[in-house]
Amino acid sequence: MKRIVLLPDHVKHMIAAGEVVEGPFSVIKELIENSLDAGASVIDVQVYDSGLKKIVVKDNGSGIMKDDIALSIKEHATSKISDESELHNIATYGFRGEALSSIASISDIIILSKTLNESMGSRLESVNNRVSVSDFAGDKGTTVIVENLFYNIPARKKFLKSKQKELRTIRETVLKTAIPAYGISFTLDVDAKRELSLPAAESLDERIKQIFGKSILQSLYYEELSDIKVKIKGYLSKPDYVKNSRNMQFLFVNNRAIEYKFFSYHISRAYDTIIPKGKYAAAIVFIDIDPELIDVNIHPAKREVKLFDQKYIDDMIYNLASKSLNRSHSIPETFFTNSEDRFPDRVSENRSDRVYGGNSGQAHNTPAASQDFKELRFRAPLFDINDEPISVNPHVTVDKNVKILGELFNTYILIEEDDNLHLVDFHAAHERLLYDKLIQDNKEIEFQELIFPVSIELSIDEFALVKDNMNIFSETGFEVEEFSDYTIIVRTAPVIAGNDNIDELIKNMIDNIKIGNKSNDLVERFYSLLACHSAKRANDFLSASDMESLVRKVLYGNMELRCPHGRPFFFTISQSDLERIFKRI
């Protein structure tokens, strides 16, 4: 066994830095929080090469005194607290004196700063841990320039996400920090191009609209609750506004964005009876609490806090959401347009042992995607007009051993074959047919110009995602253009999508970019959305010809008996099964 030794200081600093600085977004978060603590009213962020080459954060705050600037990158040097008693009453974002020290240990850093009362500011430069200080003639405030991040720990770069995903995380970090700091102006430039601009807002309402769109408040309730210890307030979904993921759930404690694993659970618990399974309410919640009743010193990156009474806070979150929902007791009809949502328990999760025209052991490598679409007037035909015509006799007999008995609940087709009864969920079956056709016609998808181009207002993050994925929209038949700040115009759409509710389809596609950000099959995900969007649904009219055509494809076609989302649409009950049910055997 090796002898125990003390690690060199520079190694200790690098280890500590790894806890604080996870990626470029961590640097930006820490520097913005320093600017907020300095009382800045304007904060400008610049990143180059996703922050790995260069990060610049500039503010007009109080600045750092020339005599103190050398201490700013020393470990555990801070202006936020001075003794142990203040550690239990933290009212600032920073307090441990670790951020600048950690950043300086894994990058080259320059700090330019000047206070109001100084005639000359100061310039600190730290390159390869060699520090120099000189004069700086500039305006009041502080500019921090971070270059060559992780230059001395290249292994850390291997664990970073793609540059596009790093930029997305940076953007989300700036926006999340800007929500409670509504009176402060923020800008973000990416490779010298303005990515976002948030002017100082007069109210939290205005900042919410800046970030999530001008019409967002029409979809949210605002509520407040308070008692002696805690005040809680927030914006929560109206019953008809749901998301496909938790990406619009934020919790702030004393204006600090935190991660609390039970937050989403309590929001979902409140909304459990009025939103479909797999959907999520929006919730932007703020808790104001005496700093002495929380501990913000339990996570290196200060993402978590320890609450004085967890159950008490849990109840406050749940009661806030419940109070909001007391305004409305009706469930929107749009939640029941999908056969998947209306009858979730009527399709067996076990695939039938009998798989016609295919391999019963076939793997199901199909993309998971959103299934939430409003009822559309347009539905795709079951088959192309070039398909061979199929004759139908009055009894809807497919062949001598197969007879279609009819529809059940306007959702399932009943088929008698020999001594078996088959049930087919026609929406999911049609969805599979359309999806397979889209995959077969990959990059040759037929599109149409919309008579009336569709204008869609997006949140800042959604708008950026569309810009980053224009090629994906183009490949799937959508011609999308930037129209104005955070608004896009859709000029063409796939023929299969029809002309109705294009905005809903685009927003579902955006949600799938967010949900599927670790996958390379976004085009296939979008094809599954198009198929679901266009397939016939429960209560749609099915002619005898439609039913016979679909049954022939299901029984004799070489198709997988699951929709693109993985839900089975074919189930068999044998005569002996029925006889056992009725105790005939």
Side-chain angles (χ1 to χ4, degrees), residues 88 248 251 279 295 340 415 458 472 485:
H88 305 293
M248 202 172 165
L251 178 61
K279 305 302 175 185
D295 184 357
E340 296 97 321
I415 308 158
L458 302 172
I472 302 295
D485 288 345

Side-chain angles (χ1 to χ4, degrees), residues 399-418:
D399 62 31
K400 64 179 181 179
N401 297 320
V402 179
K403 182 190 302 182
I404 297 175
L405 304 179
E407 287 184 69
L408 178 65
F409 306 131
N410 294 321
T411 302
Y412 308 104
I413 300 174
L414 299 181
I415 308 158
E416 179 185 342
E417 181 189 24
D418 296 329

Side-chain angles (χ1 to χ4, degrees), residues 223 278 368 460 469 534:
E223 283 295 348
I460 291 176
N469 294 275
S534 307

Side-chain angles (χ1 to χ4, degrees), residues 501-525:
N501 286 15
I502 295 297
D503 57 337
E504 291 295 324
L505 180 55
I506 292 291
K507 288 182 177 180
N508 272 275
M509 293 170 77
I510 293 170
D511 283 343
N512 268 265
I513 295 176
K514 295 179 181 178
I515 295 170
N517 61 2
K518 293 183 179 179
S519 174
N520 294 320
D521 62 353
L522 283 176
V523 172
E524 290 187 4
R525 289 177 182 274

Side-chain angles (χ1 to χ4, degrees), residues 340-552:
E340 296 97 321
D341 294 330
R342 293 181 65 180
F343 307 107
D345 299 319
R346 294 193 181 173
V347 179
S348 170
E349 290 299 320
N350 297 315
R351 185 173 180 176
S352 169
D353 289 337
R354 181 174 185 183
V355 181
Y356 295 89
N359 181 359
S360 61
Q362 184 175 357
H364 309 302
N365 296 320
T366 53
S370 165
Q371 300 181 50
D372 180 32
F373 294 97
K374 294 181 179 178
E375 191 65 39
L376 307 178
R377 291 189 299 274
F378 174 85
R379 290 283 177 254
L382 275 174
F383 303 101
D384 292 344
I385 57 174
N386 294 326
D387 281 359
E388 295 182 7
I390 300 173
S391 60
V392 181
N393 63 39
H395 303 290
V396 198
T397 300
V398 177
D399 62 31
K400 64 179 181 179
N401 297 320
V402 179
K403 182 190 302 182
I404 297 175
L405 304 179
E407 287 184 69
L408 178 65
F409 306 131
N410 294 321
T411 302
Y412 308 104
I413 300 174
L414 299 181
I415 308 158
E416 179 185 342
E417 181 189 24
D418 296 329
D419 59 352
N420 290 314
L421 174 66
H422 306 304
L423 293 89
V424 175
D425 181 337
F426 64 75
H427 165 69
H430 191 202
E431 190 179 337
R432 164 55 66 180
L433 289 172
L434 295 174
Y435 175 78
D436 288 347
K437 184 70 166 60
L438 287 168
I439 293 295
Q440 180 182 346
D441 296 341
N442 186 26
K443 296 186 179 179
E444 297 180 4
I445 190 168
E446 186 179 1
F447 63 90
Q448 62 184 350
E449 186 170 349
L450 299 176
I451 299 175
F452 301 104
V454 178
S455 172
I456 306 174
E457 182 188 27
L458 302 172
S459 70
I460 291 176
D461 191 40
E462 291 171 337
F463 184 78
L465 285 174
V466 171
K467 289 201 303 180
D468 291 342
N469 294 275
M470 284 290 195
N471 61 317
I472 302 295
F473 287 92
S474 178
E475 284 186 47
T476 51
F478 292 96
E479 180 186 337
V480 179
E481 300 175 0
E482 298 179 36
F483 180 65
S484 61
D485 288 345
Y486 316 124
T487 299
I488 60 171
I489 293 289
V490 183
R491 298 195 180 278
T492 70
V495 171
I496 191 175
N499 298 296
D500 296 323
N501 286 15
I502 295 297
D503 57 337
E504 291 295 324
L505 180 55
I506 292 291
K507 288 182 177 180
N508 272 275
M509 293 170 77
I510 293 170
D511 283 343
N512 268 265
I513 295 176
K514 295 179 181 178
I515 295 170
N517 61 2
K518 293 183 179 179
S519 174
N520 294 320
D521 62 353
L522 283 176
V523 172
E524 290 187 4
R525 289 177 182 274
F526 291 171
Y527 285 165
S528 69
L529 289 174
L530 285 171
C532 185
H533 177 90
S534 307
K536 286 184 177 292
R537 299 185 183 279
N539 297 317
D540 279 355
F541 172 73
L542 280 184
S543 67
S545 177
D546 285 337
M547 284 191 284
E548 182 178 356
S549 298
L550 184 59
V551 169
R552 284 185 179 274

Side-chain angles (χ1 to χ4, degrees), residues 103-114:
I103 294 167
S105 69
I106 55 175
S107 69
D108 298 329
I109 187 170
I110 297 173
I111 302 176
L112 310 171
S113 192
K114 180 179 179 296

Side-chain angles (χ1 to χ4, degrees), residues 548-559:
E548 182 178 356
S549 298
L550 184 59
V551 169
R552 284 185 179 274
K553 290 286 187 180
V554 170
L555 295 185
Y556 308 125
N558 186 19
M559 61 184 293

